[in-house]
Amino acid sequence: DTGVSQDPRHKITKRGQNVTFRCDPISEHNRLYWYRQTLGQGPEFLTYFQNEAQLEKSRLLSDRFSAERPKGSFSTLEIQRTEQGDSAMYLCASSPPLGKGSYEQYFGPGTRLTVT
Amino acid sequence: KNEVEQSPQNLTAQEGEFITINCSYSVGISALHWLQQHPGGGIVSLFMLSSGKKKHGRLIATINIQEKHSSLHITASHPRDSAVYICAVGRTSGSRLTFGEGTQLTVNP
């Protein structure tokens, strides 16, 4: 399978713990997006990378959240000192370079975080 | 007011019925996306539109740029079409998406 993959698929953690999620985009996709989806709502944008550069961050991304894409391939999203309000599905999507095919975003299966 | 509004929020249909889901947006866009999300979370892209109409199997998507409105139609609906359908817009090419809240569709046999 050469789609977008995310790891882990599910994470249960206690309030105050740190968690880290990984996203592996489709190879040769240089654009990578993180979104968060709470129950019954549509996804909301968190951050966007083009290659290794983080080009945009949402105001939703508080100081406790950090994302990296060190070599322009996989990306990690870390949440420090988790709170119950962080419980959500964290979605990653990737897209090919501008001018090289569709501008569609291809989504991974998501990481469901539950903070107890 | 959300930038992307969908209606209805919930829709129940009998197998075989023609279904329409509507999406209105309030900003200038480069493209509108229709997405399907099944229980468990995975999102699949159905259509990306910047004008006119697209068809794939029993699914048809239309967009009216002047009226800032799009519709997703499902002909001859089937229980396997049961899912959440989400409308999303991108304001510039390759930019992040802004999503509607989704429409939960249930098709009963």
Coordinates of all heavy atoms in Angstrom, one line a residue, chain A residues 9 31 33 35 37 40-45 48 56 89 91 98 102-105 107-109, chain B residues 33 35 37 40-48 86 93-102:
Chain A
R9 N -2.5 4.2 15.3 CA -3.9 4.4 14.9 C -4.7 4.8 16.1 O -5.7 5.6 15.9 CB -4.4 3.1 14.3 CG -3.8 2.7 13.0 CD -4.1 3.6 11.8 NE -5.5 3.8 11.7 CZ -6.3 2.9 11.0 NH1 -5.8 1.9 10.4 NH2 -7.6 3.2 10.9
R31 N 4.0 18.3 -0.1 CA 3.2 19.1 0.8 C 2.5 18.1 1.8 O 2.0 17.1 1.4 CB 2.2 19.9 0.0 CG 2.9 21.0 -0.8 CD 2.0 21.8 -1.7 NE 1.5 21.0 -2.8 CZ 0.2 21.1 -3.2 NH1 -0.7 21.8 -2.6 NH2 -0.1 20.4 -4.3
Y33 N 0.0 18.1 5.4 CA -1.0 18.9 6.2 C -1.4 18.0 7.5 O -1.6 16.8 7.4 CB -2.3 19.2 5.5 CG -2.1 19.8 4.1 CD1 -1.7 19.0 3.0 CD2 -2.2 21.1 3.9 CE1 -1.6 19.5 1.8 CE2 -2.0 21.7 2.6 CZ -1.7 20.9 1.6 OH -1.5 21.4 0.3
Y35 N -4.5 17.9 10.4 CA -5.8 18.4 10.7 C -6.2 17.7 12.0 O -5.8 16.6 12.3 CB -6.8 18.1 9.6 CG -6.6 18.8 8.3 CD1 -5.9 18.1 7.3 CD2 -7.0 20.1 8.1 CE1 -5.7 18.7 6.0 CE2 -6.7 20.7 6.8 CZ -6.1 20.0 5.8 OH -5.9 20.6 4.6
Q37 N -9.8 16.5 14.1 CA -11.3 16.4 14.0 C -11.9 15.9 15.3 O -11.5 14.8 15.8 CB -11.6 15.4 12.9 CG -13.1 15.3 12.6 CD -13.4 14.3 11.5 OE1 -12.7 13.4 11.2 NE2 -14.5 14.5 10.8
G40 N -18.2 14.5 15.7 CA -19.4 15.2 15.1 C -19.0 16.5 14.4 O -20.0 17.2 13.9
Q41 N -17.8 16.8 14.2 CA -17.4 18.0 13.6 C -16.5 17.7 12.3 O -16.0 16.6 12.2 CB -16.5 18.9 14.5 CG -17.2 19.3 15.8 CD -18.4 20.2 15.5 OE1 -18.4 21.1 14.8 NE2 -19.5 19.9 16.2
G42 N -16.4 18.7 11.4 CA -15.5 18.5 10.3 C -14.1 18.8 10.8 O -13.8 19.4 11.9
P43 N -13.1 18.3 10.1 CA -11.7 18.5 10.4 C -11.3 20.0 10.5 O -12.0 20.8 9.8 CB -10.9 17.8 9.3 CG -11.8 16.8 8.8 CD -13.2 17.5 8.9
E44 N -10.3 20.4 11.3 CA -9.8 21.7 11.4 C -8.3 21.7 11.1 O -7.6 20.8 11.6 CB -10.1 22.3 12.8 CG -11.5 22.5 13.2 CD -11.6 22.9 14.6 OE1 -11.2 22.1 15.5 OE2 -12.1 24.0 14.8
F45 N -7.9 22.7 10.4 CA -6.5 22.8 10.0 C -5.6 23.1 11.2 O -5.9 23.9 12.1 CB -6.3 24.0 9.0 CG -4.9 24.3 8.7 CD1 -4.1 23.5 7.9 CD2 -4.3 25.5 9.2 CE1 -2.8 23.8 7.6 CE2 -3.0 25.8 9.0 CZ -2.2 25.0 8.1
Y48 N 0.9 23.1 8.2 CA 1.2 22.8 6.8 C 2.7 22.9 6.5 O 3.3 23.9 6.9 CB 0.4 23.7 5.9 CG 0.9 23.8 4.4 CD1 1.0 22.7 3.6 CD2 1.1 25.1 3.9 CE1 1.5 22.8 2.3 CE2 1.5 25.2 2.6 CZ 1.7 24.1 1.8 OH 2.1 24.2 0.5
E56 N 2.7 27.3 7.5 CA 1.5 27.9 8.1 C 1.1 27.1 9.4 O 1.2 25.9 9.4 CB 0.3 27.9 7.1 CG -0.9 28.7 7.6 CD -2.0 28.7 6.6 OE1 -1.8 28.1 5.5 OE2 -3.0 29.3 6.9
M89 N -9.5 13.0 16.7 CA -8.8 12.3 15.6 C -7.8 13.3 14.9 O -8.2 14.4 14.5 CB -9.8 11.8 14.6 CG -9.2 11.1 13.4 SD -8.6 9.5 13.7 CE -10.2 8.6 13.5
L91 N -5.5 13.9 11.8 CA -5.5 13.5 10.4 C -4.3 14.1 9.7 O -4.0 15.3 9.9 CB -6.8 13.8 9.7 CG -8.0 13.2 10.1 CD1 -9.3 13.9 9.7 CD2 -8.1 11.7 9.6
L98 N 3.1 21.5 -6.5 CA 2.2 22.4 -7.4 C 2.7 22.3 -8.8 O 3.9 22.3 -9.1 CB 2.3 23.8 -6.9 CG 1.6 24.1 -5.6 CD1 1.8 25.6 -5.2 CD2 0.2 23.8 -5.6
S102 N -2.7 16.7 -9.7 CA -3.8 17.2 -9.0 C -3.5 17.9 -7.7 O -2.4 17.6 -7.1 CB -4.7 16.0 -8.7 OG -5.7 16.3 -7.8
Y103 N -4.3 18.8 -7.3 CA -4.1 19.5 -6.0 C -4.9 18.8 -5.0 O -5.1 19.3 -3.9 CB -4.5 20.9 -6.1 CG -3.7 21.7 -7.2 CD1 -4.3 22.7 -7.9 CD2 -2.4 21.4 -7.4 CE1 -3.6 23.5 -8.8 CE2 -1.7 22.1 -8.3 CZ -2.3 23.1 -9.0 OH -1.6 23.8 -10.0
E104 N -5.4 17.6 -5.3 CA -6.1 16.8 -4.2 C -5.2 16.5 -3.1 O -4.0 16.3 -3.2 CB -6.7 15.5 -4.8 CG -7.8 15.7 -5.7 CD -8.4 14.4 -6.1 OE1 -8.8 13.6 -5.3 OE2 -8.5 14.1 -7.3
Q105 N -5.9 16.4 -1.9 CA -5.2 16.0 -0.7 C -5.5 14.6 -0.4 O -6.7 14.2 -0.5 CB -5.5 16.9 0.5 CG -5.0 18.3 0.2 CD -5.1 19.2 1.4 OE1 -5.3 18.8 2.6 NE2 -5.0 20.5 1.2
F107 N -5.6 11.6 2.2 CA -5.7 11.5 3.7 C -5.2 10.2 4.2 O -5.4 9.1 3.6 CB -7.1 11.7 4.2 CG -7.5 13.2 4.1 CD1 -8.0 13.7 3.0 CD2 -7.4 14.0 5.3 CE1 -8.4 15.1 2.9 CE2 -7.8 15.3 5.2 CZ -8.2 15.9 4.0
G108 N -4.5 10.2 5.4 CA -4.2 9.0 6.1 C -5.4 8.5 6.9 O -6.4 9.2 7.0
P109 N -5.2 7.3 7.6 CA -6.4 6.8 8.3 C -6.6 7.5 9.7 O -7.6 7.3 10.3 CB -5.9 5.4 8.6 CG -4.4 5.4 8.6 CD -4.1 6.5 7.6
Chain B
H33 N -13.8 20.6 -2.6 CA -13.6 19.1 -2.6 C -14.8 18.5 -1.9 O -15.4 19.0 -0.9 CB -12.4 18.8 -1.7 CG -11.1 19.4 -2.2 ND1 -10.1 18.6 -2.7 CD2 -10.7 20.7 -2.2 CE1 -9.1 19.5 -3.0 NE2 -9.4 20.7 -2.7
L35 N -15.6 14.9 0.1 CA -14.9 13.9 0.7 C -15.9 12.9 1.4 O -17.0 13.3 1.8 CB -14.0 14.4 1.8 CG -13.1 15.6 1.4 CD1 -12.5 16.3 2.6 CD2 -12.0 15.1 0.5
Q37 N -16.3 10.0 4.5 CA -15.6 9.5 5.7 C -16.5 8.4 6.3 O -17.6 8.6 6.7 CB -15.4 10.6 6.7 CG -14.6 10.1 8.0 CD -14.3 11.3 8.9 OE1 -15.0 12.2 9.0 NE2 -13.1 11.2 9.5
G40 N -14.7 4.9 11.8 CA -13.2 4.5 11.9 C -12.3 5.7 11.4 O -11.2 5.7 11.8
G41 N -12.9 6.6 10.6 CA -12.2 7.8 10.4 C -11.6 8.1 9.0 O -11.4 9.2 8.7
G42 N -11.3 7.0 8.3 CA -10.6 7.3 7.0 C -11.4 8.2 6.1 O -12.6 8.0 5.9
I43 N -10.7 9.1 5.5 CA -11.3 10.1 4.5 C -10.8 9.8 3.1 O -9.6 9.6 2.9 CB -10.9 11.5 4.9 CG1 -11.6 11.9 6.2 CG2 -11.3 12.5 3.8 CD1 -11.3 13.3 6.7
V44 N -11.8 9.7 2.2 CA -11.5 9.4 0.8 C -12.0 10.6 0.0 O -13.1 11.1 0.2 CB -12.2 8.2 0.3 CG1 -12.0 8.0 -1.2 CG2 -11.7 7.0 1.1
S45 N -11.2 11.1 -0.9 CA -11.6 12.2 -1.8 C -12.5 11.7 -2.9 O -12.1 10.7 -3.6 CB -10.3 12.9 -2.4 OG -10.7 13.9 -3.3
L46 N -13.7 12.3 -3.1 CA -14.6 11.9 -4.1 C -14.4 12.7 -5.4 O -14.3 12.2 -6.5 CB -16.0 12.0 -3.6 CG -16.4 11.1 -2.4 CD1 -17.8 11.4 -2.0 CD2 -16.3 9.6 -2.8
F47 N -14.4 14.1 -5.1 CA -14.3 15.0 -6.3 C -13.5 16.2 -5.8 O -13.5 16.6 -4.7 CB -15.7 15.5 -6.7 CG -16.6 14.5 -7.3 CD1 -17.6 14.0 -6.5 CD2 -16.4 14.0 -8.6 CE1 -18.5 13.0 -7.0 CE2 -17.3 13.1 -9.1 CZ -18.3 12.6 -8.3
M48 N -12.8 16.8 -6.8 CA -12.3 18.2 -6.7 C -12.8 19.0 -7.9 O -12.6 18.5 -9.0 CB -10.8 18.2 -6.6 CG -10.2 19.5 -6.3 SD -8.4 19.5 -6.3 CE -8.0 19.3 -8.0
I86 N -18.4 15.2 3.4 CA -17.8 16.5 3.9 C -17.4 17.3 2.7 O -16.8 16.8 1.7 CB -16.6 16.3 4.8 CG1 -16.9 15.4 6.0 CG2 -16.0 17.6 5.2 CD1 -15.7 15.0 6.8
S93 N -4.5 27.4 -4.8 CA -4.0 26.1 -5.2 C -3.0 25.6 -4.2 O -2.0 26.2 -3.8 CB -3.3 26.2 -6.5 OG -4.2 26.6 -7.5
G94 N -3.3 24.4 -3.7 CA -2.4 23.7 -2.7 C -2.5 24.2 -1.3 O -1.7 23.8 -0.5
S95 N -3.4 25.1 -1.0 CA -3.5 25.6 0.3 C -4.3 24.6 1.2 O -4.9 23.7 0.7 CB -4.2 27.0 0.3 OG -5.6 26.8 0.0
R96 N -4.3 24.9 2.5 CA -5.0 24.1 3.5 C -6.5 24.1 3.1 O -7.0 25.1 2.4 CB -4.8 24.7 4.9 CG -5.3 26.1 5.0 CD -5.2 26.5 6.4 NE -5.4 27.9 6.6 CZ -6.5 28.5 6.9 NH1 -7.6 27.8 6.8 NH2 -6.6 29.8 7.1
L97 N -7.2 23.1 3.6 CA -8.7 23.1 3.3 C -9.4 23.6 4.5 O -9.0 23.4 5.7 CB -9.1 21.6 3.1 CG -8.5 21.0 1.8 CD1 -8.9 19.5 1.7 CD2 -8.8 21.8 0.6
T98 N -10.6 24.2 4.3 CA -11.5 24.6 5.3 C -12.8 23.7 5.1 O -13.3 23.6 4.0 CB -11.9 26.0 5.2 OG1 -10.7 26.8 5.3 CG2 -12.9 26.4 6.3
F99 N -13.2 23.0 6.1 CA -14.2 22.0 6.0 C -15.6 22.4 6.5 O -15.7 23.2 7.5 CB -13.8 20.7 6.8 CG -12.5 20.1 6.4 CD1 -11.3 20.7 6.8 CD2 -12.5 19.0 5.6 CE1 -10.1 20.1 6.4 CE2 -11.3 18.4 5.2 CZ -10.1 18.9 5.6
G100 N -16.6 21.9 5.9 CA -17.9 21.9 6.5 C -18.0 20.9 7.6 O -17.1 20.1 7.9
E101 N -19.2 20.9 8.3 CA -19.3 20.0 9.5 C -19.7 18.6 9.1 O -19.7 17.7 9.9 CB -20.3 20.6 10.5 CG -19.8 21.8 11.1 CD -20.6 22.2 12.3 OE1 -21.7 21.6 12.6 OE2 -20.2 23.2 13.0
G102 N -20.0 18.4 7.8 CA -20.3 17.0 7.3 C -21.8 16.8 7.4 O -22.6 17.4 8.1

